[in-house]
Amino acid sequence: MHLIAVGINHHTAPVSVREKAAFAPEKLTEALHDVTRQVAGEAAILSTCNRTELYCGLENGDGEPVIEWLCEYHRLRRADIRPYVYEHPDQAAVKHAFRVAAGLDSLVLGEPQILGQMKEAFAAAHKVGATGKILNRLFQQTFAVAKQVRTDTAIGASPVSVASATVMLAKRIFTDLSEQTVLLIGAGDTIELCARHLAEQHVGHVIVANRTVERARLLADPFGAEAISLAELPARLADADIVISSTASPLPILGKGAVESALKARRHRPMFMVDIAVPRDIEPEVGDLSDVYLYTVDDLKDVVQENMQSREAAAREAERIIEVKVVDFWQWVRSLDAVPTIRALRETTEALRDAEVRRARRRLARGDDPEAVLEQLARALTNKFTHAPTDALKRADHDGNDALLDAARRLFNLNDD
């Protein structure tokens, strides 16, 4: 069994490409069934705003069938996506998984949110039976490594995340957030983090819009915010000085026309908009409007770099931890190759033993001397157990196969005498 990690992320592909390869949550089960039926023995899919990755257990180490499946599933032309795709085989796949979970491959170095997303991805795959021995062990080890990195290094010491970077950018445009109204679209983890950071900045008023008002209210109430439904967006958009959106919608929620109407109602007072979602929630054309400052998740890269210096030394420590853990994991994977041989050896020796024990019992039942029966049993077992190895060693000696002779000495713990 081989491991392969195939994907695209914010390092290799712009948001316009990533959104085409993203998996909607409601389609994940279908996709897992499809990929395990067509190309992989085991599979897990990680799909976030910054990356889409498939972790697969395959009979061979070729990742091309996985890439082909990804293109076919999303109806993408191979030429359009292949330049952005990376593939990590075997040990490289293990290292990549460890680095991703530890936040070393994130837009924000060391951000903790990706670990929760990986746990959700594994839980979804495990629930539908898409994982097996290899991926179960890989993800369990991945979570343990991420925990050790958090415990043993200062990778998470500085409060830096996509959410905090979004609020930092808002502060650059509006020096005093206490007089601004913020519209948060969505009710997931990223929006909740944004709400938390905004509360710390004593923002003037927060409106949380979600498909279901009940879910919006659950997020809004702890922060004293207002909850509305997505259906109310056209009527309330003009109230917002700042719009931050992060939903799982496959289609844009805010179009150019709706924003133009809001700007007219605001008498063209500027609006600051951040679209963290992949696929995007806000039509790109909105950025062409003269009174709108629209940023996507890719635009946050420059902002997040400012608070990263304190994490760089911790990241180097984390890389050393990961290198050791990759070797440990791969030794376990390689040990699986010996399992069929060990099982066959045990089954063969047990069959020989059972045959000789039955023969000895028949002799005892006839009244033969027990001492003689035991001696014969011991001789027979010794001869049967050593017959095949002895023949193989004689042939190895005749053929000059020193490697097999040395292996036999190690295998049976024989000294030079």
Side-chain angles (χ1 to χ4, degrees):
M1 179 70 76
H2 291 268
L3 269 172
I4 191 82
V6 167
I8 61 173
N9 64 20
H10 58 285
H11 295 304
T12 68
V15 66
S16 59
V17 174
R18 298 201 307 275
E19 64 186 0
K20 295 175 183 176
F23 289 85
E26 64 273 14
K27 296 288 187 180
L28 199 56
T29 296
E30 172 192 276
L32 287 165
H33 284 313
D34 196 58
V35 69
T36 51
R37 184 175 62 251
Q38 293 198 41
V39 297
E42 305 179 33
I45 298 174
L46 174 65
S47 185
T48 73
C49 60
N50 284 329
R51 69 183 66 246
T52 292
E53 294 181 342
L54 287 92
Y55 294 87
C56 298
L58 305 169
E59 287 302 320
N60 59 62
D62 184 9
E64 287 302 318
V66 181
I67 299 171
E68 290 285 353
W69 176 86
L70 181 65
C71 293
E72 290 177 7
Y73 186 86
H74 286 297
R75 295 182 174 85
L76 299 171
R77 291 197 313 160
R78 183 180 175 82
D80 291 341
I81 194 171
R82 192 61 182 90
Y84 305 103
V85 175
Y86 47 82
E87 45 184 310
H88 301 295
D90 293 329
Q91 283 178 277
V94 179
K95 182 176 181 179
H96 181 72
F98 290 177
R99 295 187 76 255
V100 171
L104 299 183
D105 196 54
S106 297
L107 171 62
V108 180
L109 181 64
E111 60 93 7
Q113 195 173 352
I114 186 62
L115 178 58
Q117 292 167 329
M118 287 193 80
K119 288 182 177 179
E120 291 173 1
F122 171 65
H126 188 265
K127 182 178 180 180
V128 300
T131 63
K133 180 181 290 186
I134 296 289
L135 288 188
N136 288 343
R137 182 68 173 256
L138 172 66
F139 278 96
Q140 288 164 7
Q141 190 65 23
T142 295
F143 305 148
V145 169
K147 181 179 180 181
Q148 181 177 348
V149 168
R150 292 274 161 196
T151 302
D152 295 353
T153 75
I155 193 72
S158 301
V160 181
S161 66
V162 170
S164 65
T166 300
V167 176
M168 287 168 54
L169 193 56
K171 283 190 66 178
R172 290 184 176 181
I173 295 174
F174 302 97
T175 306
D176 185 5
L177 295 183
S178 65
E179 298 180 1
Q180 311 306 320
T181 294
V182 180
L183 172 62
L184 301 176
I185 305 176
D189 292 342
T190 301
I191 289 297
E192 184 176 358
L193 284 173
C194 287
R196 200 173 303 280
H197 286 296
L198 289 166
E200 292 172 357
Q201 298 299 324
H202 307 291
V203 69
H205 181 55
V206 176
I207 304 168
V208 179
N210 192 53
R211 183 173 55 84
T212 59
V213 177
E214 293 79 8
R215 181 71 184 91
R217 190 171 292 114
L218 284 174
L219 190 151
D221 286 349
F223 302 103
E226 180 184 357
I228 65 172
S229 69
L230 291 183
E232 298 176 74
L233 273 182
R236 298 300 304 275
L237 186 59
D239 297 336
D241 303 300
I242 300 168
V243 178
I244 302 172
S245 188
S246 178
T247 77
S249 173
L251 298 172
I253 291 172
L254 288 179
K256 185 177 181 181
V259 178
E260 281 180 322
S261 297
L263 287 172
K264 289 179 182 178
R266 290 171 59 83
R267 297 184 179 180
H268 293 277
R269 282 184 294 116
M271 296 177 72
F272 169 64
M273 309 181 82
V274 181
D275 188 354
I276 309 174
V278 176
R280 284 173 285 188
D281 285 338
I282 303 173
E283 287 183 349
E285 292 77 12
V286 170
D288 297 334
L289 299 173
S290 58
D291 298 308
V292 171
Y293 300 91
L294 174 63
Y295 294 81
T296 69
V297 67
D298 286 354
D299 297 317
L300 299 175
K301 291 180 180 178
D302 293 337
V303 179
V304 301
Q305 292 304 318
E306 296 181 7
N307 286 355
M308 300 312 297
Q309 291 183 356
S310 63
R311 296 193 175 189
E312 291 177 356
R316 289 191 289 271
E317 294 178 43
E319 296 282 10
R320 288 191 288 270
I321 292 172
I322 287 171
E323 290 291 345
V324 173
K325 295 302 182 181
V326 168
V327 172
D328 290 346
F329 182 84
W330 203 246
Q331 286 177 342
W332 173 80
V333 172
R334 290 277 66 92
S335 73
L336 297 180
D337 294 339
V339 170
T341 302
I342 293 170
R343 184 182 298 115
L345 175 62
R346 185 173 293 278
E347 290 173 352
T348 300
T349 54
E350 287 178 349
L352 292 173
R353 177 203 64 196
D354 293 344
E356 292 305 320
V357 168
R358 286 194 298 270
R359 188 173 290 112
R361 283 174 175 165
R362 286 196 297 269
R363 292 186 60 194
L364 289 172
R366 292 198 306 265
D368 289 1
D369 179 21
E371 189 71 23
V373 172
L374 284 175
E375 289 182 4
Q376 177 59 31
L377 174 63
R379 282 196 301 274
L381 287 175
T382 300
N383 290 336
K384 293 287 179 68
F385 290 164
T386 60
H387 175 71
T390 299
D391 281 353
L393 290 173
K394 286 179 179 178
R395 288 195 299 272
D397 188 40
H398 179 270
D399 297 339
N401 188 348
D402 293 337
L404 182 57
L405 295 172
D406 290 340
R409 288 191 172 278
R410 292 197 301 273
L411 183 61
F412 295 106
N413 196 24
L414 305 176
N415 59 37
D416 290 336
D417 295 334

